Amino acid sequence: MVPVMPASRKMDAIVVGLGPAGSTGARLLSQAGLSVVGIDRSEFPRFKTCGGGVSARSIPYLPIGWQSVPHEVTTGVCLTYDNHGPVEVDMGMPIAYQFRREEFDHFLLEEARKDGALIVTGVQVEEIGWDGSDFRIATEGGNLYTAPLLLAADGASSQVSRSLLNRTKKPGSFRPRFQRRSSVKHLGKSFPSSEINISGSNPVSPGLVRIDLGFVSGGYGWSFPKSRSGENIGVIGFSKPLTDPLAVLGGFVSRILPGTEGSSTREEPRTWFVPDYQESDRHGKIPGLFFLGDAGGLVDPFLGEGIYYAILSAKKAVSEILKHENHPKAASLSYAGWIRQDLFRDFAQARRLAAVIYRFPGVYFRLVQKYPHVLSLYAAILRGAHDYRSFSRSIGKNLLNLPFRTLLPRFKPNRTF
């Protein structure tokens, strides 16, 4: 019997992965009049491992009506270090919004659907190919889609990347980045991170998020308040990746919320990998192919923020597609140039800050104790008033006027080493 080939559906663009990057890309392309299909293996709403913090600079890129999604408004930071008293700074204006990812992502997906994107969820992608002109995406159930444009928004362990850029592995043989083990092996230069959702009140002042620099060696711990009484608590190591993030998370939770061990108000802790932008060489390799968000390594290496860069990359990719109409190669090369010349240069400065602050957290904390306004500069990044390069120039000018001798250890005169 001759096998029956599935009938293909020709589209202008295909989006694989419908998190914030994919849904934003599908929505903007549909608004521009392109025929778009968005594919995701999960049914929505679905649980997503993520702190769920959306910086204020992301808001201009969100669809109208985002305020209807339950959220908490963050106006400041509570910085803690070991047994020292906390430093709380309220900026008096929103610097971030705390969402539950299942609700936030579902809203973005439905907005893409309303604007005309064909949304296909709950199906696995079985084949990904490129014939030099069109991309070919086959899903379970015999559906086949072709298009000259492909937006890959399928996470750090991108199946699209493994299928198209790494021919040594079979399509679909990728390893999920989600892990449930008690410990994980550090993969390349990715950063293991663990989190847990716990019902109860936030242990800091209303409107503030807690950032702890003392418990996690080479990184930080966080506590983000969530809507309907609860909080997201997590840990991540940047200058020193965590070898057993779940164990570190357990210790951190016990420290800031003693007595919650074994509580029914706790959900199962989860671990995932945050990509390192330095490991991402995927951009501009194939005409018409765009890697968005985590799939492109677009995560801030200092704060670990990814949602803003996911949405921003989708907006930029669509902008280049519309600018270079009918020229996929020019569009993808221009997008890749923006990634390398703009985002990655900024990430390089963020990494330099991380290398200093996470290596010497005590010195940094004493600086903030004496000069709490230093935290307002970080708020300026979250609000979009600074990027990391302009931030570094600004903080450099401020630090030159500070008496550093008061922050450094004192040694006895004539001491020899």
Side-chain angles (χ1 to χ4, degrees):
M1 178 181 295
V2 178
V4 178
M5 298 297 293
S8 64
R9 183 165 181 176
K10 177 70 173 180
M11 311 293 289
D12 293 322
I14 302 171
V15 180
V16 177
L18 292 172
S23 289
T24 298
R27 174 173 59 86
L28 295 178
L29 287 171
S30 295
Q31 288 178 346
L34 278 70
S35 59
V36 184
V37 58
I39 305 169
D40 197 288
R41 63 183 179 182
S42 298
E43 292 283 6
F44 284 66
R46 53 91 171 92
F47 178 82
K48 179 68 175 179
T49 307
C50 175
V54 178
S55 61
R57 57 184 170 173
S58 307
I59 298 304
Y61 305 128
L62 297 183
I64 295 174
W66 66 267
Q67 300 94 331
S68 64
V69 183
H71 62 274
E72 295 286 333
V73 180
T74 296
T75 58
V77 177
C78 172
L79 189 69
T80 58
Y81 177 75
D82 288 345
N83 295 320
H84 298 277
V87 178
E88 294 190 351
V89 177
D90 194 323
M91 314 301 171
M93 64 183 71
I95 61 174
Y97 300 81
Q98 308 300 328
F99 292 90
R100 295 181 183 274
R101 282 292 303 275
E102 59 267 33
E103 297 172 340
F104 182 70
D105 290 12
H106 189 217
F107 166 75
L108 294 179
L109 179 142
E110 289 304 319
E111 290 301 305
R113 193 196 306 271
K114 290 178 184 177
D115 282 320
L118 172 62
I119 301 299
V120 180
T121 58
V123 298
Q124 293 283 348
V125 171
E126 295 185 337
E127 179 187 345
I128 302 174
W130 182 63
D131 62 8
S133 176
D134 282 349
F135 295 94
R136 170 192 175 100
I137 305 291
T139 66
E140 61 182 344
N143 294 309
L144 179 64
Y145 304 94
T146 63
L149 301 169
L150 174 59
L151 276 61
D154 53 342
S157 56
S158 171
Q159 183 184 6
V160 172
S161 176
R162 290 174 181 259
S163 298
L164 297 179
L165 302 183
N166 188 351
R167 300 289 184 175
T168 62
K169 294 188 177 183
K170 296 180 181 180
S173 64
F174 64 104
R175 178 180 180 180
R177 63 175 173 147
F178 175 77
Q179 305 288 324
R180 292 176 181 264
R181 296 177 294 176
S182 60
S183 64
V184 295
K185 183 178 180 180
H186 181 48
L187 300 179
K189 284 190 176 181
S190 60
F191 306 104
S193 178
S194 287
E195 69 169 29
I196 188 172
N197 291 320
I198 300 180
S199 300
S201 60
N202 188 38
V204 299
S205 300
L208 305 188
V209 294
R210 177 172 183 163
I211 301 296
D212 180 86
L213 295 177
F215 193 85
V216 181
S217 177
Y220 69 93
W222 73 79
S223 174
F224 296 164
K226 297 299 177 183
S227 61
R228 298 187 296 279
S229 184
E231 58 188 301
N232 177 274
I233 299 174
V235 295
I236 189 170
F238 282 114
S239 64
K240 185 179 179 181
L242 305 178
T243 57
D244 194 348
L246 287 181
V248 176
L249 175 65
F252 182 59
V253 171
S254 297
R255 178 173 180 174
I256 67 173
L257 291 177
T260 61
E261 297 83 353
S263 171
S264 60
T265 60
R266 294 170 55 132
E267 295 181 2
E268 180 184 4
R270 298 169 183 264
T271 298
W272 78 103
F273 291 96
V274 175
D276 183 350
Y277 80 95
Q278 291 182 315
E279 295 293 290
S280 181
D281 61 350
R282 302 168 176 175
H283 302 285
K285 299 290 186 181
I286 297 178
L289 176 59
F290 303 82
F291 287 99
L292 312 181
D294 282 17
L298 306 182
V299 176
D300 175 344
F302 178 61
L303 297 176
E305 181 185 12
I307 295 177
Y308 167 70
Y309 295 102
I311 295 172
L312 181 66
S313 62
K315 183 178 184 301
K316 182 63 175 179
V318 173
S319 175
E320 295 298 339
I321 288 170
L322 299 180
K323 178 181 177 181
H324 301 278
E325 185 179 1
N326 298 323
H327 293 88
K329 181 176 181 179
S332 55
L333 286 177
S334 183
Y335 173 77
W338 172 74
I339 294 289
R340 297 190 181 99
Q341 298 299 318
D342 196 331
L343 288 194
F344 281 2
R345 283 188 176 182
D346 206 48
F347 285 175
Q349 188 59 41
R351 179 177 289 280
R352 295 185 190 103
L353 287 172
V356 174
I357 291 176
Y358 296 142
R359 185 177 180 184
F360 305 106
V363 173
Y364 176 72
F365 184 78
R366 288 193 292 273
L367 173 67
V368 174
Q369 278 184 311
K370 288 182 175 291
Y371 309 99
H373 68 274
V374 169
L375 286 178
S376 67
L377 292 173
Y378 291 103
I381 292 177
L382 296 178
R383 290 188 289 107
H386 273 301
D387 59 19
Y388 278 105
R389 286 170 288 179
S390 64
F391 163 81
S392 298
R393 291 191 293 269
S394 179
I395 197 172
K397 293 177 182 178
N398 282 270
L399 293 183
L400 287 175
N401 298 320
L402 299 181
F404 273 99
R405 291 182 181 276
T406 64
L407 304 174
L408 300 176
R410 295 183 178 181
F411 300 104
K412 295 180 180 180
N414 302 321
R415 183 175 179 180
T416 59
F417 296 90

